[in-house]
Amino acid sequence: PNGWPAQYQTEAAFQKQVEEAAHVFGWMASHSHLPFFDTAGWPDLALVHPVKKLFMVRELKVVTKAGRVPSPSPVQWRWLNALNAAGVNVGVWTWPMDWERLVEELQA
């Protein structure tokens, strides 16, 4: 993104950037919170690369206006740990400090 390091932005704006970057590198991205299922804590994005046959989930965070770096909540960690135990590639991407790593992971 332009203006690195970036100013504050919302998580929704960060998610849109991640989805656009994922698409550029051939990933399909899904952000789905279905109200009729108990999805509290489910990671923000599920990403699938159909050609490379890869699947990963990512929790997204943004540094607050006050400069605080947020951490996943206990229920989010429960999902991340359970998915990791099941062999799923899981992680947390935080804006702005993880942008370069995020792009590297999408290119891999």
Side-chain angles (χ1 to χ4, degrees), residues 2 11 15 34-35 53 59 86 95 100 104 108:
N2 295 334
E11 189 173 303
Q15 180 176 318
L34 303 174
K53 298 182 175 125
E59 180 61 33
W95 175 263
E100 291 176 5
E104 288 174 6

Side-chain angles (χ1 to χ4, degrees), residues 16-86:
K16 185 175 182 340
Q17 285 181 313
V18 172
E19 289 172 348
E20 289 170 355
H23 179 73
V24 166
F25 296 114
W27 293 85
M28 298 168 60
S30 175
H31 172 77
S32 178
H33 290 285
L34 303 174
F36 46 88
F37 290 114
D38 179 13
T39 58
W42 179 259
D44 291 308
L45 283 178
L47 299 131
V48 176
H49 198 294
V51 174
K52 295 180 180 179
K53 298 182 175 125
L54 298 173
F55 175 71
M56 65 178 161
V57 295
R58 292 295 184 268
E59 180 61 33
L60 303 179
K61 298 293 181 186
V62 296
V63 174
T64 67
K65 289 180 183 178
R68 187 177 75 77
V69 178
S71 178
S73 69
V75 70
Q76 290 170 330
W77 277 121
R78 185 172 65 97
W79 272 108
L80 292 170
N81 290 332
L83 288 162
N84 183 58

